[in-house]
């Protein structure tokens, strides 16, 4: 990954394909867990586009680019949510009555549905820790937050998920 990203940083955009081939499937799975299915591929594509521009900032001593790519994807999801919230607020000010893009869950609440109800920050921390297997220290580095913040988000995410899943049963 480091050699490929060094080549990308030097202007060889084709080398990004090497990193894409290694990590695209995992990145799409990750994106599907923190956003809706229809946006997952867009998030993955945007992640690789941003990775191309940020390639020179990749730590060449890292064993894999996957945590770095997950961090980029997390930021993209948060940026998109903020942009959507601003857009929705603007529409509401103009009297359109737009309130939410998420339809109410008509059926049973599954784990994916429960995850969708968590705040983006809690959902990302939970998915990285519980589903992707990263340590608290790794998550803190990926998200550029203190380790205590990671543990707090994980703690509250677990409590909220237990409550949401208990409601469903």
């Amino acid at each position: 990954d480091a050699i490929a990203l060094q080549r990308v940083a030097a202007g060889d955009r084709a080398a990004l394909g090497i990193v894409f081939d290694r990590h695209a499937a995992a990145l799409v799975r990750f994106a599907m867990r923190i956003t809706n299915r229809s946006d997952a591929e867009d998030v993955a594509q945007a992640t690789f586009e941003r990775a191309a521009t940020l390639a020179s900032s990749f730590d060449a001593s890292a064993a894999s680019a996957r945590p770095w790519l997950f961090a980029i994807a997390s930021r993209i999801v948060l940026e998109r949510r903020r942009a959507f919230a601003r857009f929705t607020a603007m529409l509401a000010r103009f009297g359109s009555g737009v309130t939410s893009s998420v339809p109410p869950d008509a059926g049973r609440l599954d784990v994916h549905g429960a995850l969708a109800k968590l705040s983006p920050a809690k959902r990302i921390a939970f998915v990285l820790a519980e589903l992707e297997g990263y340590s608290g220290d790794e998550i803190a580095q990926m998200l550029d937050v203190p380790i205590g913040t990671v543990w707090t988000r994980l703690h509250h995410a677990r409590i909220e998920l237990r409550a949401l899943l208990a409601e469903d049963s």
Side-chain angles (χ1 to χ4, degrees):
D1 290 344
I3 293 169
L5 287 168
Q6 286 173 346
R7 287 177 42 202
V8 172
D12 180 6
R13 296 294 170 133
L16 189 61
I18 296 167
V19 179
F20 179 88
D21 290 343
R22 287 182 189 150
H23 303 292
L27 194 59
V28 170
R29 278 192 312 273
F30 172 68
M32 284 185 354
R33 291 174 174 150
I34 63 173
T35 189
N36 61 51
R37 286 188 186 275
S38 62
D39 288 343
E41 289 186 6
D42 290 342
V43 168
Q45 179 180 347
T47 299
F48 284 105
E49 289 171 2
R50 190 165 299 172
T53 62
L54 297 174
S56 63
S57 70
F58 178 70
D59 179 7
S61 68
S64 169
R66 187 172 291 183
W68 183 69
L69 292 168
F70 280 16
I72 293 170
S74 299
R75 287 185 196 104
I76 288 170
V77 168
L78 293 174
E79 289 167 5
R80 286 177 173 220
R81 289 184 186 275
R82 284 187 211 112
F84 183 75
R86 285 192 303 270
F87 179 71
T88 302
M90 188 232 8
L91 287 178
R93 282 194 303 269
F94 288 110
S96 70
V98 173
T99 56
S100 174
S101 68
V102 180
D105 188 28
R108 65 177 177 80
L109 179 66
D110 59 1
V111 174
H112 184 73
L115 279 171
K117 291 183 179 184
L118 294 177
S119 72
K122 291 175 191 170
R123 183 179 328 126
I124 289 168
F126 183 84
V127 168
L128 287 171
E130 300 297 337
L131 303 176
E132 297 298 334
Y134 288 102
S135 71
D137 289 330
E138 290 170 322
I139 296 168
Q141 287 180 331
M142 281 188 239
L143 302 179
D144 195 27
V145 297
I147 186 70
T149 300
V150 172
W151 294 131
T152 299
R153 289 176 184 174
L154 284 171
H155 173 74
H156 290 288
R158 289 176 181 132
I159 289 171
E160 289 177 33
L161 283 172
R162 277 188 215 109
L164 288 166
L165 293 172
E167 288 173 9
D168 189 42
S169 56

